[in-house]
């Protein structure tokens, strides 16, 4: 989606502000929202792409005026509501109105959780179609103004870059976020001259590298 | 209109209520939440990344492995797992300066850097790092010569980037541990250089 | 600028909502803000491009959460402050702290105002450089991610269209908004196939026409 | 952070204070403000545009002049001035449907249509009219056949657009005035068609 989260290249958002001490969390609720999101993720009721989409898919004012962990909370609430795991009314009352949905396992204990964290989630997949591009190929990023999830930022769509490396086959976020399967494709690092993206406002020496899936690209004309 | 999640109670109360609901449903274990918080608040952080950098500075074979297959080389030092499954290390040189951002959300290499600071997740950094990297670097106190090539890495997929900064001059006699102490998180994101001993902020 | 005002092609902003009766104004202050903006515009202390930029050049959350006449008011306040005509503190106190700036004429009476309205403001200018393009020419919209005012929407930058007609020489907003002169250029209606702008999400039959100045364009490769 | 204009008093009070300051400085005349409001609230409106359309439907020469040089042809009926200095009229046919938007602000042809309705100025219309015109038209109750070409006119410069709708069937006997009464503002923006007599909403 062309959403408020797609920030690359926007003006008017102000200076980058340093912060003394830079604690990872600023309020107790941020700690809990962070941990709840991770812990509920362990259940596998959604994947990371669905969870990114649940955070980004909202009015730009809502997105841009919410803090980072506020977006995590809103995303989590939406995922839980959409899947019938927690009704918003239950949060309003502060108590569960029913048991956990059938088929969901009980809470992960600390040891299991630690093992899941350490294992991580490998997003690389065998079975992708053969790569259509090779390092050095000039590619055009296709315009696809679809309302769903995608990881091609607007600033590089319709622009020509050069494939820098092939990362291998990876789960495709565009389908995976919407329950349409992992549909793995090769994912490439594509180098764009900064001037291709921003015109003469940019330095002729600089470049931006964007990781883009095979289907996002076509051979440059 | 703006807030599509409707009229919600104050956020701290909302989080507390959500935790209570999930605990009552038996879906989360408060002890597990405590562990997750403790892990990312006190155990995992940029000292991990600093050790990777110091090792690369002192061990040419390790440096080569790190640039060839960062995930494995970083795993040698024990740093693995969530948000570090697919690592790439990009090396600064006198001619090339690398800098990392995630314009679409806030992807960040947790096992080596911990959780990101607020500015990395902020709209100003995400919008400007790709458009005006030199302006952003200037705000961080780093003025790069015009002829240096700035490469900005936008973490749009599951690859996570770590910048291997240049080893500062005057550090020949230092041990790996002393070198690691010089390496800042900002230098591994690419918004700073590593200063010589004694020059750290 | 790539600002929050550049809305073409964004998702997530909700449905278009009809309104019973559709009054031009909803509150008395809207009437007054509208009229104050027009009346102060008559003084010629700024031009229409500067006034558009004063409205758009703000944080996207400020822009998108302000109503239309709220933006007019904020723009007017900024223009008045920047030019030293009204200090924000005077608005705070509700009284003028000093006379009108030297060189500004007294208020326009109703008859003069009516005549100015009826005359309008012709933005066409002689003296533009000869047009570089003709109807039928294929043109590429240059990328110019400048922080100042421009009227080339992001959605058509880097895209190829066809010149539909030449409107003649017009004041250039990019310079005029910033006091850098009218620098007139030919302005064209450029036709873009909807699929060029949005990919397969769009109908193959549809097109978007955008009015673009000569300097925004280069010959399509 | 979001509101760069700082902590401001409630908007009605702010506007009142600003008017007071400008009146005290002798820069605005309240009688002039009243005239401006009265002009755009009660005098100038879509009935002007409707007369232009009805004339074009009944007078082939006028139609030709209107399509060739809209500013002059519209001035013939007395509609001139601010935000109508450079007019273009685009004609709907069975094969082509035109629709007008201003994605960057809310430009609108005041002398023929008056001030724009809220939806025309809204973020949803401005964002979607160019991206998904058929979806927007559907929300206005107009479902266009796939083979009709939709042309969206984004008013990015000082040209102002008026759609000349198709004359509905069953109106052969009607006078120019009766025809004008059929023409809606929405049809002249291009988000509706003109319905036959008796079918108006």
């Amino acid at each position: 989606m062309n959403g408020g989260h797609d920030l690359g290249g926007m003006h008017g958002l102000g200076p980058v502000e340093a912060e003394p001490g830079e604690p990872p969390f600023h309020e107790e609720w941020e700690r809990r929202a962070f941990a709840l999101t991770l812990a509920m993720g362990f259940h596998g009721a959604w994947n990371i792409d669905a969870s990114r989409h649940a955070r980004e898919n909202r009015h730009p004012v809502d997105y841009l005026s919410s803090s980072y962990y506020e977006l995590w909370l809103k995303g989590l609430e939406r995922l839980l509501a959409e899947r019938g795991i927690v009704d918003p009314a239950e949060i309003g009352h502060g108590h569960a109105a029913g048991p956990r949905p059938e088929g969901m396992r009980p809470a992960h204990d600390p040891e299991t959780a630690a093992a899941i964290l350490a294992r991580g989630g490998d997003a690389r997949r065998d079975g992708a179609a053969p790569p259509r591009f090779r390092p050095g190929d000039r590619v055009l990023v296709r315009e696809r103004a679809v309302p769903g999830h995608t990881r091609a930022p607007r600033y590089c769509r319709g622009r020509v870059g050069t494939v820098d490396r092939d990362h291998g086959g990876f789960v495709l976020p565009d389908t995976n976020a919407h329950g349409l399967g992992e549909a793995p494709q090769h994912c490439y690092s594509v180098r764009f001259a900064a001037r291709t993206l921003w015109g003469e406002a940019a330095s002729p020496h600089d470049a931006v590298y964007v990781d883009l899936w095979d289907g996002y690209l076509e051979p440059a004309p | 209109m703006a807030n599509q999640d409707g009229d919600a109670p104050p956020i701290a109360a909302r989080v507390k209520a959500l935790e209570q609901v999930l605990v009552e449903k038996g879906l989360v274990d408060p002890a597990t939440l405590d562990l997750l918080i403790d892990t990312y608040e006190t155990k995992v952080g940029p000292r991990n990344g600093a050790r990777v950098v110091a090792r690369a500075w002192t061990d040419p074979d390790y440096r080569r492995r790190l640039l060839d297959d960062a995930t494995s080389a970083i795993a040698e030092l024990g740093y693995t797992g969530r948000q570090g499954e697919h690592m790439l290390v990009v090396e600064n040189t006198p001619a090339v300066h690398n800098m990392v951002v995630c314009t679409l959300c806030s992807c960040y290499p947790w096992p080596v850097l911990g959780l990101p600071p607020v500015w990395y997740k902020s709209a100003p950094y995400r919008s400007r790092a790709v458009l005006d990297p030199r302006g952003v670097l200037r705000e961080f106190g780093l003025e790069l010569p015009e002829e240096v090539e700035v490469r900005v890495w936008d973490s749009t997929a599951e690859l996570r980037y770590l910048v291997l900064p240049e080893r500062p001059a005057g550090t020949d006699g230092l041990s790996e541990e002393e070198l690691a102490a010089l390496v800042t998180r900002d230098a591994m994101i690419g918004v700073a250089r590593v200063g010589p001993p004694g020059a750290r902020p």
Side-chain angles (χ1 to χ4, degrees), chain A, chain B:
Chain A
M1 65 180 294
N2 294 344
H5 69 294
D6 189 355
L7 287 169
M10 290 281 291
H11 291 109
L13 290 156
V16 178
E17 278 170 11
E19 180 201 18
E22 298 188 331
F25 301 109
H26 295 70
E27 308 266 359
E28 179 57 18
W29 70 261
E30 295 187 340
R31 290 184 181 86
R32 307 310 284 183
F34 166 79
L36 285 169
T37 300
L38 259 58
M40 285 310 300
F42 297 159
H43 285 280
W46 54 78
N47 58 54
I48 192 167
D49 299 304
S51 106
R52 289 204 182 102
H53 193 56
R55 286 177 205 146
E56 79 199 8
N57 185 20
R58 54 192 67 247
H59 193 287
V61 169
D62 185 9
Y63 186 87
L64 287 169
S65 56
S66 299
S67 74
Y68 182 70
Y69 288 116
E70 210 174 333
L71 287 174
W72 277 46
L73 173 65
K74 289 176 178 180
L76 177 59
E77 287 174 339
R78 184 181 293 175
L79 291 164
L80 291 168
E82 282 174 354
R83 282 153 184 79
I85 301 171
V86 175
D87 191 90
E90 294 180 284
I91 303 175
H93 296 135
H95 288 289
R100 67 171 179 274
E102 271 188 56
M104 284 189 81
R105 53 155 285 166
H108 302 75
D109 61 29
E111 293 70 38
T112 316
I116 295 176
L117 278 191
R119 193 166 64 238
D122 192 340
R124 208 166 290 180
R125 292 289 182 277
D126 295 331
R132 295 186 303 138
F133 307 101
R134 298 199 310 184
D137 285 357
R138 289 178 68 252
V139 289
L140 172 77
V141 185
R142 296 170 60 203
E143 180 52 73
R144 291 160 62 255
V146 288
H149 185 62
T150 187
R151 298 289 288 184
R154 275 187 89 179
Y155 71 78
C156 70
R157 292 195 223 143
R159 307 305 159 96
V160 171
T162 307
V163 173
D164 183 63
R165 72 178 93 185
D166 182 346
H167 298 306
F170 275 82
V171 173
L172 181 68
D174 305 53
T175 49
N176 201 41
H178 299 286
L180 301 172
E182 296 193 335
Q185 294 183 356
H186 276 253
C187 180
Y188 311 91
S189 177
V190 179
R191 175 189 167 101
F192 299 89
R195 289 211 160 169
T196 297
L197 302 176
W198 319 115
E200 286 161 30
S203 160
H205 301 291
D206 298 349
V208 178
Y209 290 73
V210 186
D211 289 326
L212 299 168
W213 275 261
D214 195 281
Y216 294 178
L217 306 171
E218 54 190 62
Chain B
M1 184 197 80
N3 190 328
Q4 297 171 344
D5 296 280
D7 287 328
I11 195 154
R14 223 161 106 202
V15 175
K16 202 163 195 164
L18 176 59
E19 178 173 340
Q20 179 65 27
V21 170
L22 291 171
V23 169
E24 289 181 14
K25 284 181 191 278
L27 286 166
V28 299
D29 174 348
T32 298
L33 302 181
D34 294 340
L35 168 95
L36 294 169
I37 294 163
D38 186 54
T39 300
Y40 288 104
E41 189 158 20
T42 69
K43 300 207 162 49
V44 179
R47 298 336 306 154
N48 296 359
R51 266 192 232 118
V52 171
V53 169
R55 174 69 53 90
W57 282 349
T58 51
D59 180 342
D61 283 344
Y62 183 78
R63 176 182 155 278
R64 206 162 305 122
R65 291 202 298 284
L66 186 66
L67 295 173
D68 281 355
D69 179 355
T71 315
S72 303
I74 291 169
E76 288 178 34
L77 303 196
Y79 312 132
T80 59
R82 198 183 171 88
Q83 289 301 308
E85 297 91 346
H86 311 288
M87 290 295 304
L88 271 173
V89 169
V90 287
E91 186 180 33
N92 284 353
T93 69
V96 174
H97 182 89
N98 294 283
M99 177 174 165
V100 180
V101 65
C102 171
T103 61
L104 297 175
C105 43
S106 301
C107 296
Y108 193 73
W110 292 5
V112 282
L113 295 185
L115 297 180
V118 169
W119 63 257
Y120 182 87
K121 302 179 284 188
S122 73
Y125 185 72
R126 288 166 51 192
S127 59
R128 294 178 52 217
V130 286
L131 170 64
D132 180 24
R134 290 168 189 267
V136 171
L137 291 175
R138 220 172 284 128
E139 286 171 29
F140 277 93
L142 180 56
E143 178 84 42
L144 289 177
E146 178 55 31
E147 66 276 13
V148 169
E149 176 185 332
V150 177
R151 294 184 182 168
V152 182
W153 300 83
D154 190 356
S155 315
T156 50
E158 296 304 334
L159 291 303
R160 296 291 167 269
Y161 292 88
L162 185 75
V163 175
L164 175 57
E166 288 180 85
R167 178 171 175 166
T171 56
D172 282 359
L174 298 194
S175 70
E176 195 177 316
E177 205 171 327
E178 287 166 327
L179 285 169
L182 296 178
V183 179
T184 63
R185 184 210 54 203
D186 284 1
M188 294 182 281
I189 300 175
V191 294
R193 279 177 166 160
V194 177
R200 296 185 60 211

